[in-house]
Amino acid sequence: MTSEPQDQRPPLVAVASADAVLRHPEVGEHLLTALERERAGRFRQESGRLDFTAGHLLVRLCAARLLGVPADGLVLAQQCPDCGLADHGKPYLPDHPEVHVTLSHTRGVVAAGAGFRPIGVDVELAVRGGSLRAVARRVLTPGELAAVEASPEPNLAFLRQWVRKESLIKIGRARLDTLGEIDLAELPLDVPPGAPLRSRHGDLHLLDWTDREHGAAVAAVSTAAPRVVELTS
Ligand SMILES: [Zn+2]
């Protein structure tokens, strides 16, 4: 039997409740490295610690599924491309340099991805009543801003473009100070809960969805079409 060459496999992405990841039988806090545990311990709120932990475990589950190996053998590290410190910045697997990984966590929801191509994910919850105008002006193009402001739900529309742009930062296609130069106005702003929406932007494949349980906006971006995997049911 011939199997697919490894690097032809699509990148995998997963979204889950932090609770569901923490209950997953294949992972647990004991898998975190000493540095991850120290970072988890810096959160003032227990909920922040749990979201951080769940994100760092979900990315191990994604990479384990991609590689066909147990999650408990995977070591996760990070390195900041700007300052070189290991306690923040781009995550990677020191023992599997061919694999790209990404993770994101917000209140109660986590997202992660793993692939043989660069992959970025971001998950964010809508903030009620906050004024987004100042931020929106900085990170959206004039066309995107006009479409967001004309949307029936401007906060959600902004959040949709924001998670897409954060994902682009994570694969090195944008920086915080250049987000306003990237124009995603051709992409739809309304992503109903349920099945992910696929679209293209240049050579990139985008996957957008709205988490049904929490209403969180999630975006994934890669140079190959990502596949959504259910890892926590
Ligand atoms: Zn840094």
Side-chain angles (χ1 to χ4, degrees):
M1 212 176 90
T2 56
S3 65
E4 243 179 332
Q6 263 202 339
D7 56 6
Q8 298 299 311
R9 290 186 209 152
L12 306 180
V13 294
V15 182
S17 296
D19 285 346
V21 177
L22 296 169
R23 283 196 310 265
H24 195 286
E26 286 173 40
V27 292
E29 282 185 43
H30 62 284
L31 298 190
L32 299 185
T33 63
L35 180 55
E36 286 174 301
R37 255 176 271 180
E38 191 218 309
R39 290 179 60 203
R42 287 183 211 161
F43 286 88
R44 280 164 196 234
Q45 306 249 357
E46 175 70 357
S47 60
R49 192 181 74 77
L50 294 176
D51 293 340
F52 172 94
T53 301
H56 285 242
L57 295 177
L58 186 62
V59 73
R60 285 169 163 85
L61 287 169
C62 282
R65 174 70 68 90
L66 180 82
L67 289 163
V69 301
D72 64 7
L74 294 175
V75 175
L76 184 71
Q78 279 177 261
Q79 188 169 33
C80 176
D82 299 322
C83 68
L85 285 179
D87 68 349
H88 61 278
K90 198 173 161 54
Y92 67 102
L93 304 175
D95 301 327
H96 298 274
E98 74 284 15
V99 174
H100 298 262
V101 292
T102 180
L103 68 100
S104 178
H105 47 90
T106 182
R107 283 159 291 139
V109 198
V110 293
F116 296 102
R117 313 265 193 106
I119 168 118
V121 298
D122 193 50
V123 57
E124 305 281 349
L125 282 171
V127 182
R128 297 276 164 218
S131 172
L132 298 172
R133 257 193 112 82
V135 184
R137 283 187 182 286
R138 242 184 329 109
V139 302
L140 299 182
T141 63
E144 290 171 340
L145 185 64
V148 161
E149 288 181 339
S151 153
E153 301 220 53
N155 279 11
L156 291 181
F158 171 72
L159 202 64
R160 180 56 56 193
Q161 295 295 39
W162 175 251
V163 292
R164 287 168 174 156
K165 292 193 174 196
E166 280 283 300
S167 302
L168 289 171
I169 290 177
K170 290 181 177 177
I171 58 164
R173 292 295 186 96
R175 296 192 319 265
L176 206 48
D177 61 348
T178 64
L179 285 183
E181 295 160 24
I182 291 166
D183 192 76
L184 304 177
E186 85 278 11
L187 301 178
L189 290 177
D190 184 29
V191 179
L197 180 86
R198 293 183 178 279
S199 50
R200 299 293 307 268
H201 180 74
D203 66 324
L204 299 173
H205 293 256
L206 279 97
L207 199 62
D208 283 299
W209 74 108
T210 300
D211 165 74
R212 201 184 285 280
E213 192 181 344
H214 305 88
V218 190
V221 63
S222 179
T223 51
R227 190 167 81 208
V228 178
V229 284
E230 186 63 63
L231 296 173
T232 51
S233 63

